[in-house]
Amino acid sequence: MTEPRSRRRMSGSERREQLIQISRTLFAEKGFDGTSIEEIAATAQVSKPVVYEHFGGKEGVYAVVVDREMRKLLAMITEALAASHSLIKLERAALALLQYIEESSEGFRILVRDSHAASGTGTFASLISEIASQVEDVLADEFVARGYDPKLAPMYAQMLVGMVALTGQWWLDVRKPGREEVAAHLVNLAWNGLTGLNPNPAITATSREQQSVPAKPRTSEKELRELEKAREKEFKEAEKARVRELKDAEKARVRDLKERERLLKEAEKAREREDKIRQREARLAERAARLEHTDHQD
């Protein structure tokens, strides 16, 4: 009988990568506190000293896992923000986050779950802040071009990134609707605002092509400008309608005030008439009393 061949011994880099992948799965499932060095070692079929040798402890391997996930997500968002048109930037950034969640659910779950001190600066909040700083530069340029105050760009960047990030956390578990539809609705709210929401939003063909999905004809810069003009026109029309409503409401309020003033004046006149009648009746009563007194004297 031939003896069974012994299992090939892993190199140091291979063992390190194995431990990282095993730890990533355990951290995603149980969190930092729920995972132990013993469990990592047992799953990898090595002794605890091997784990300590590579990472110095649970905190070390956790920091490596978080750093990898942060760099991966940040790279995807940064690439998305390199698009030329602002609408495409927004679409691709939303799609990039949802793609990362879909393809790296364990990593995203680690980022949003723990924010443990062992990760140092590697927390989801710090990642969002870093992405917001990039979005801030994009918004500042847009604000200048549109005549808005660029000093407001940091605040709007936090709002925009926060909206996308929280939607991603919600979508992590529900996964319905699909990522392209979720991204379309995100962009619909961020780009059009509540007053100009499109009832049937869709991602542009340019962003769809970026996601390696069979695409429709590519949207040109001219079409994008026309699309933006159409949306601005819709916004202006909605704003005009809102102004008309406010004017109508103001006119109705003025009419109501005038009517109330008229009623108050009429009530005041009625009171004055009643006062005059009472005064006349009092004078008549007084005169009658004097006459009666005179008659008694005679």
Side-chain angles (χ1 to χ4, degrees), residues 84-91 138-139 141-143 145-148 187 190-192 196 198 204 219-237:
S84 58
H85 192 277
S86 297
L87 174 61
I88 303 301
K89 290 179 192 287
L90 185 57
E91 286 182 341
V138 176
L139 289 180
D141 293 339
E142 284 293 317
F143 279 23
R146 294 171 181 267
Y148 301 155
V187 174
W191 190 260
N192 296 324
N198 181 349
T204 61
T219 304
S220 66
E221 287 292 327
K222 181 180 178 181
E223 289 172 326
L224 286 172
R225 287 194 296 271
E226 291 175 352
L227 175 63
E228 186 169 357
K229 286 180 181 178
R231 285 174 171 169
E232 288 179 354
K233 183 180 179 181
E234 290 176 2
F235 175 78
K236 288 179 180 178
E237 290 175 353

Side-chain angles (χ1 to χ4, degrees), residues 169-185:
Q169 287 183 253
W170 164 78
W171 191 70
L172 174 64
D173 294 316
V174 297
R175 297 301 175 91
K176 290 181 181 180
R179 77 179 180 209
E180 187 173 305
E181 186 175 348
V182 173
H185 284 282

Side-chain angles (χ1 to χ4, degrees), residues 125-148:
S126 65
L127 176 66
I128 293 302
S129 179
E130 191 166 348
I131 295 173
S133 67
Q134 296 188 42
V135 174
E136 176 186 328
D137 295 334
V138 176
L139 289 180
D141 293 339
E142 284 293 317
F143 279 23
V144 170
R146 294 171 181 267
Y148 301 155

Side-chain angles (χ1 to χ4, degrees), residues 201-218:
I203 294 297
T204 61
T206 303
S207 293
R208 192 177 296 113
E209 287 174 2
Q210 186 72 12
Q211 292 289 304
S212 300
V213 177
K216 297 177 181 179
R218 184 181 181 86

